[in-house]
Amino acid sequence: MQISPLSERFGVAIDGIDLGSALDPEAFDRLHRLFVDHKLVCFKNQSLSAEAQIAFSRRFGPLEVHILSQYNHPEHPEIFRLSNRVVDGKPMGISDGGSYWHSDLAFQEQPAKATILNALEIPPEGGDTLFVNMEAAYEALSDEWKQRLQGLQAVHRYRRKQTTDGQSTQVELNDAQKNQTPDVVHPLIRTNPDTGRQSIFAHKGMTAEIVGLPREESDRILDFLFEHTVQPQFRYDFRWSPGDVVMWDNRSTMHSATTRDLPPGQYRSLYRTTVRGERPI
Ligand SMILES: O=C(O)CCC(=O)C(=O)O
Ligand SMILES: [Fe+2]
């Protein structure tokens, strides 16, 4: 297994391992440690089948089935399909999923621990995924801000924004899907149970308001956090290659897709599995 940094800020690339083969407990522990320590892991040169992706992902915990069920794999509901291909008039996946700042399933009581994306088809240009290290963003806050934020809770909402402001996707939820996503409340500063380290848990695409504060005060704090966290020193824009399997820790990072900006005729298809996490503390 060869491990190299993905950027000078965070993330590692791993080559020389086949995720499709059975991992013994020591190998799994090592990968889990790398995932927790580096937050973003790219396994190079994989060719994972849907079944193998599910088996690998399950090692990290129970898998979620996405509520936008029209995009789930017909035979493997644990696989959510991201794709801008349309075959015989039928979308092969969600075309602009996650094209806004978020942490996966932050709108649920138990947001995602890990997301695993398997790159089946990657265009020569575009479609990068943008990541932010939310632990580094927390550490860079002044002591005054850290104190101000401690103990605050925020409301998270799926589709908090309208499609027009660039912080949502074009797909609308049907009534049943809306009923499955009531507002939830999470601490604004959360502690990763695997490391004991704190990070900011606020994302422009989903964090709606701070509990118990006047609207203006809540907006002022959230707007500050939305701007603070996306600064270049905390960011890494990941460029995909076919065969990449990328895994990230949603507890200490946020991300945004850029698929909305793909030029016509550029195709991108990935399979996603999502590992359930703890309730944030
Ligand atoms: O397609 C991407 O770049 C990321 C999509 C996304 O947000 C996700 O899979 O969670
Ligand atoms: Fe996402």
Side-chain angles (χ1 to χ4, degrees), residues 82 97-98 102 104 115 117 127-129 240 248 255 257 259 268 272:
L82 303 159
H102 67 284
D104 289 332
T115 301
L117 279 191
D128 295 4
T129 309
W240 290 87
W248 63 83
H255 60 281
T259 41
R268 182 179 187 271
R272 161 170 150 178

